[in-house]
Amino acid sequence: MTAEYFQRDRRWHPPAYTPDYKTTVARSPNLPLLSVENSLSEITGPTFSHAGLGPLDHDLIRNFTGEEAIGERTIVHGRVLDQNGRPVKGALLEVWQANAGGRYRHKKDGYLAPVDPNFGGCGRCLTDEDGYYFFRTVKPGAYPFRSFSNSWRMAHIHFSIFGAGMTQRLITQMYFEGDPLRAQDPIANTVPDQAAIDRLVAPLDLEASVPLDSLAYRFDIVLRGRRQTMFENKLEGA
Amino acid sequence: MPLEYPKETPSQTAGPFVHIGMMPRVAGFEVFETELGQVPAAEGVPGTRITIEGRVLDGTGTPIKDALLEIWHADAEGRYAHPEDPRVNEVHEGFTGFGRCHTDLDTGTFTIETIKPGVIPGRHARPQAPHLNIWIVARGINIGLHTRMYFPDEENDDDPLLGMVEHLHRRATLVASATGENAYRFDIHLQGPQETVFLDI
Ligand SMILES: [Fe+2]
């Protein structure tokens, strides 16, 4: 049972070369990508199970030391669907982020804001039968970075998503509703269409918030869809 | 007006700190009991053990030190450990074919240790030469780059994908070089005269 995936709409995604995000200038391929028909090499990809994950992997407030991290207590939740509107079950989501002060726990992060001794900054989980997932974390702080001398990243959570095959592989970033840094953020604005950036902005979800405990934000993710018709994949000599 | 489907969530760069989420030990700390993609082929999986070393070079020829690579490949008989491979039930339980590695924060070199894949069934009954599928993300890469690595000691002439590369000299960008017994070198050039062929899959 093998069906092709919809072609990726490359005009909707950020192009490789986006000079306001200066690092792309020397790291963007100049030549056209080679478009290939889906074969087994593309429609397959790694699969993951709960056996590989730990019980606190989705809880960034407590998964580093067991003590609670400092910051705005936040739930991030949503569904992973494909372009046909079908839930993507068993999708692996990995997230990473700065702490509430905008500092990453990473050897190479030199920002002057302090690390939080109880915050690692990463988590992971699998979607359920409905494509649903949730994380618990603290809201990350904005941080400066060198694109222009006074560039800032708006608050964001990095998301890595594995769907059913390498064709659906995606890394993106989630933003928070109402962030005043959006217009100047050179990385968010690598995406050419404001409507596409809107898709990365999670609205506040008051109904999913836990009273007296945590605010919630909703982030739904769409992966590439598949055609209904199968292609043949005969084994050699079969 | 053609029928509209919901659009895919747009990509954003993985940034320089991708290790935190995917290989936290590289970032400098431990949080997960098991980090994913560390053992593409466990001990006891049939096949030839291989080692691949390489770099990811930017348009100035400088190795980049914050890239993360994922490899995805078939086993020695050309079978993928995935439910849509018709021969998935024959795959050894210790084989995933999924590996993660990073370019060293100081030297920029990445290393992959796994087994050599076999010939993989292809479309229209055309077999595909043994290859690794590779996906590269880093700061300054807005959308993950797909490519393949083929082997210099295999029959690549009839491979359907290599055959589609119009500029003949560019086919070589997809073929590793041998550096010893079962050891290979594969440099990926993001830009410049030796720019690697990247794929829109
Ligand atoms: Fe970031």
Side-chain angles (χ1 to χ4, degrees), chain B residues 49-61:
Chain B
R49 294 272 148 189
I50 56 169
T51 304
I52 300 142
E53 271 197 2
R55 296 173 299 170
V56 181
L57 300 136
D58 73 12
T60 72

Side-chain angles (χ1 to χ4, degrees), chain A residues 50-221:
Chain A
H50 288 284
L53 307 188
L56 286 181
D57 282 6
H58 69 291
D59 184 359
L60 286 73
I61 291 183
R62 290 206 301 133
N63 71 8
F64 189 49
T65 59
E67 300 295 317
E68 306 233 325
I70 291 171
E72 286 179 48
R73 299 165 68 82
T74 301
I75 291 164
V76 175
H77 74 138
R79 292 177 80 202
V80 182
L81 302 174
D82 73 11
Q83 289 177 280
N84 288 307
R86 295 196 188 99
V88 183
K89 306 167 197 171
L92 177 76
L93 280 71
E94 295 166 286
V95 295
W96 66 101
Q97 63 169 84
N99 69 21
R103 172 71 182 266
Y104 282 102
R105 183 176 289 279
H106 192 289
K107 282 177 188 167
K108 297 284 178 187
D109 188 3
Y111 182 36
L112 53 80
V115 294
D116 175 344
N118 296 315
F119 189 67
C122 60
R124 53 193 193 180
C125 71
L126 290 167
T127 58
D128 70 12
E129 290 292 299
D130 294 320
Y132 180 77
Y133 76 91
F134 78 97
F135 289 101
R136 201 169 74 130
T137 188
V138 294
K139 189 177 173 189
Y143 61 83
F145 86 115
R146 294 171 194 278
S147 207
F148 302 108
S149 60
N150 191 25
S151 291
W152 290 76
R153 291 308 323 282
M154 60 172 160
H156 60 278
I157 301 178
H158 295 267
F159 271 71
S160 156
I161 306 120
F162 281 95
M166 289 308 284
T167 40
Q168 287 186 327
R169 190 79 182 88
L170 184 70
I171 281 187
T172 190
Q173 300 182 26
M174 185 208 98
Y175 304 112
F176 294 84
E177 180 185 350
D179 196 313
L181 290 167
R182 170 172 167 169
Q184 66 75 56
D185 186 321
I187 290 183
N189 288 289
T190 59
V191 176
D193 187 335
Q194 289 296 317
I197 303 175
D198 288 344
R199 290 275 305 277
L200 301 177
V201 177
L204 178 69
D205 183 352
L206 215 44
E207 300 304 346
S209 299
V210 180
L212 308 179
D213 184 331
S214 304
L215 282 174
Y217 290 84
R218 173 92 186 186
F219 185 47
D220 291 325
I221 294 164

Side-chain angles (χ1 to χ4, degrees), chain A residues 8 12-13 15 21 25-28 30 34 38 41-42 44 94 124 164 169 172 175 199 222 226, chain B residues 7-10 12 19 34 59 70 72 80 82 84 100 123 131 139-140 142 148 191 195 198 200:
Chain A
R8 180 166 260 170
W12 176 253
H13 288 282
Y21 175 24
V25 172
R27 294 185 174 194
S28 44
N30 287 327
L34 178 67
N38 289 173
S41 295
E42 288 75 39
T44 59
E94 295 166 286
R124 53 193 193 180
R169 190 79 182 88
T172 190
Y175 304 112
R199 290 275 305 277
V222 177
R226 295 182 93 156
Chain B
K7 289 196 180 286
E8 190 184 7
T9 298
Q12 292 269 263
H19 319 98
T34 323
E70 287 181 350
W72 172 245
Y80 283 102
H82 184 275
E84 292 181 60
R100 255 182 190 165
R123 301 277 300 256
H131 62 268
R139 178 171 69 104
N142 285 332
R148 285 186 181 186
Q191 241 181 43
E195 183 176 315
F198 296 106
D200 189 11

Side-chain angles (χ1 to χ4, degrees), chain B residues 147-158:
Chain B
T147 189
R148 285 186 181 186
M149 189 203 95
Y150 289 84
F151 293 86
D153 43 13
E154 294 286 340
E155 185 46 68
N156 294 325
D157 289 352
D158 294 328

